[in-house]
Each structure stands twice: as C-alpha cells, then as structure tokens.
Amino acid sequence: ANIADANGWTCAAYPTTDDDKSQVLDAFLQAGGAIYAQRAGKISCIQRAAPRASIVTISAADTAGPLEIDTAASRIDRINTIRPRYWSEAHRWQLTALDEVTAASYQTEDGGKRPRGIDYPYVTNPTQTAQLAALQIANTREGIAGTIPLKPHLQRIRPGDAFTITEPGFVLNGVKCLCLNTDYDPATGVVRVSFVSETDAKYPFAMGQDPTPPSPPVLTPVDPTFVSPPAAGDWTITPRPPAPGGGQLPGFDLGGVVSNDTATAIIVEYGPSASG
C-alpha cells in the first residue's frame, strides 16, 4: 500500500461471484505491481514496483552446497513490447487499448518486436497502466535465476527480500537478487532460496524518469585454471640469514592460514634475494 501511494497508483474493480477467486486476487495484486506468494500456508505477496535495499551479503562461507542457476531468460518469456488494455471510465467502463509500451533497445537486441497483449482489468489510469506494462517488460528481461542452498543462520531471508552475493571467483559475484521462495529442511538445517536477479535501474525507466531501459545483469566470467592468491596478512615470513662462520644455514620461517576453501595444496617458491 505504501508503494502504491508513493507511485500514485489506485485500484478499481467490480468482481462478481462468477469470477474465480484466484484470478480476482491476481488482478488486485497486478494493479499494485505485486505477485502472489505463499509462506507457511499464509497468503502473501511480493511487491515488484519499487527498488529495495539488500538486507544481507552472501559469501561462499554462507552456502551449503552448489548453486543451480539459469544464465538467461527464456526467449519465450522475454518480451520487448506490451499491448495493454485497462478499465476505462471514459469508455463506459470497458477494457480499452492503450498505445504499445515498448523499448527500442530491447527490440534491437531481440532482432525485432516481441509483443504480448496484457489486460489490467483493475486499473483505471492510463499512466499507471503504461508504468505497469514497462515494469512487466523489464521483469521479463531479468536473465539470472536459480536456487542457492544456505546455512541455517540465513533463515531470516524471506520472499520479497533482496540480498547480494559478494564472493570473488563466483559467477554471481556482485549480483543483487530477489528472493521468490524459501524451502527449509529441518533435518539438515539448510534453507534453499529461489531467486531472480534484481536490477534497480528498471524502476526509473518504468516510471518515465529515465528513457533508457536497463541492461540485464551479466555473470562474472570465471577462469577455472585461476587460483586466488593468499590475502594480505594470511602469511608471515621471517628470514633466517646465514650466521657468520657458517654457524647457521640460510632459511626462513613461514606461518599462516589457507583462506581459499577450494585450495588442495600449498606451493612455496624460494630463492636468493637481490642482495644474495
């Protein structure tokens, strides 16, 4: 409700007992830029009409297994044009077509127009209809989705929360994600979070504040042959120079920790310094 008030959005409807209850609920949520969600048997919703702050950052130490990800949105679902219809008072409360809502850069990327007709039966404002349609287009362009298993301390992530993955070497490093659903396994304590990438720049575009549609997030390329070096401070080296008269052989003392969880061996290369 707060988001709808901030956006200047309203809702008007005339449902009857002939209408399916789930369709009525979906239409109400659609008018507010939200989608249906369910948690612990309770009906809820996830708003996708305003940017949200990331509540937590996730590193490799927080994960409880491998990630499952899709790296691109389905071509069937990815659209660049919507032909919207809304409930128009000026047309005696009939579903009335608006001009197409589109993004030229997306059409260029797709090699042509990919249209879809969508009705907004509980929206009476043409500006609100166009904004919702632009948001719908941008949401279909979110190309990264998947499931990430997390350790028990991250049960606080709920559907609708945003989180950011920050782990050098992860393909998802730096990607902001929106939680769509969670599945907790009490036997193992693992919570599996279903997510989709979240691009904040799509909201100014949809609200008409920025004419340029956002580019969808991309994965960070990972070189499987690269092993990250030790972090500064992980290791300390104490040289032992030779003592006069040969009483002590040259050498060094090496101590520290392996901060790379995937490392299986330590390689130490040594030799004389520039001064011998």
Side-chain angles (χ1 to χ4, degrees), residues 27-118:
F28 270 118
L29 295 175
Q30 179 196 49
I35 58 175
Y36 175 83
Q38 184 171 329
R39 180 176 176 83
K42 295 181 179 179
I43 293 176
S44 184
C45 67
I46 298 173
Q47 71 86 3
R48 303 195 70 182
R52 72 201 72 213
S54 176
I55 67 168
V56 66
T57 56
I58 294 176
S59 67
D62 299 312
T63 61
L67 285 69
E68 302 172 6
I69 58 173
D70 292 328
T71 58
S74 168
R75 184 170 177 81
I76 297 176
D77 298 330
R78 192 174 65 240
I79 58 177
N80 54 47
T81 302
I82 286 180
R83 300 184 179 117
R85 295 196 306 169
Y86 73 106
W87 207 35
S88 174
E89 180 180 7
H91 296 82
R92 303 180 66 178
W93 301 112
Q94 299 295 319
L95 279 174
T96 304
L98 273 180
D99 293 338
E100 289 183 343
V101 178
T102 187
S105 61
Y106 290 159
Q107 288 190 31
T108 302
E109 179 183 336
D110 295 338
K113 186 181 293 187
R114 297 183 58 82
R116 180 177 300 172
I118 296 181

